[in-house]
Amino acid sequence: MTPTHKVYLAGPDVFFRNASEVMRIKGEMALEHGFYPSTLAEDGNALGGDTPFEFGVSIALANEAMMDQSDFIIANLTPFRGISADIGTAFEVGYMRAQGKPCFAYSNTGRDYYTRLTEDYYAGGPFEADGDLTRAADGLMIENHGMRDNLMLDGAVDRSGGAFVAQDAPGPDLLGDLDAFRAVLAKARAFFDQAA
């Protein structure tokens, strides 16, 4: 299929031992659906800096440049190092949403944010009623909006016209499974075909 739009591929996949290989596979899948894929910033030539901090800033700037050049984002919002999405990926969703670009996302868990918060983070309670709110033992409100992750992420995807696919990975590779990625690619293809 001839590519029609450029997609920025975001997610904690960049931390994998085989990050370049994963990005290559996801890029090939994107091309099969008619999208030019972004690349891994660390594989580019525009990085530099004399200190680790300066090198990190060069990666951030390279990612921003790739987002500026992309038509939309597909973000891996599978919980990463906790109960929520990778914080850098969350920033990237917000960056693209602020530019008015369509945001698509996927998660390799079907468990919603409320369930992960109450069962995993707070280990099942105790909780207290506070009017219409529920609070944990630490006094913090337990938000329950029926969303897959933080309301700003779900809201960005919804309001941009994109789609958020959340389903349990069929195997043990929670972060790296590509079934939900494949499903959201199909939704993105349908979105752009309908807009044409």
Side-chain angles (χ1 to χ4, degrees), residues 12 34 50 60-61 68 77 88 95 108 114 121 134 148 155 160 165 168 171 176:
D50 295 330
L61 293 175
D68 292 341
L77 298 182
Y95 190 93
N108 287 332
Y114 174 80
Y121 186 80
T134 300
R148 295 162 191 90
S160 75
V165 174
D168 291 326

Side-chain angles (χ1 to χ4, degrees), residues 75-178:
N76 179 354
L77 298 182
T78 303
F80 179 68
R81 295 178 177 162
I83 64 163
S84 198
D86 167 56
I87 193 169
T89 306
F91 170 86
E92 291 167 331
V93 170
Y95 190 93
M96 295 294 273
R97 174 67 179 132
Q99 292 187 15
K101 296 177 178 179
C103 300
F104 291 81
Y106 73 96
S107 175
N108 287 332
T109 180
R111 297 171 71 229
D112 66 7
Y113 182 72
Y114 174 80
T115 302
R116 297 192 311 268
L117 182 60
T118 56
E119 293 181 4
D120 300 347
Y121 186 80
Y122 285 115
F127 304 109
E128 65 174 278
D130 182 9
D132 292 335
L133 303 176
T134 300
R135 295 194 181 278
D138 58 13
L140 297 177
M141 180 185 73
I142 304 291
E143 60 270 39
N144 185 5
H145 302 290
M147 295 184 169
R148 295 162 191 90
D149 210 291
N150 180 278
L151 63 88
M152 296 302 292
L153 293 174
D154 280 70
V157 171
D158 182 74
R159 298 290 46 170
S160 75
F164 195 147
V165 174
Q167 60 189 40
D168 291 326
D173 189 8
L174 180 67
L175 280 171
D177 186 83
L178 296 177

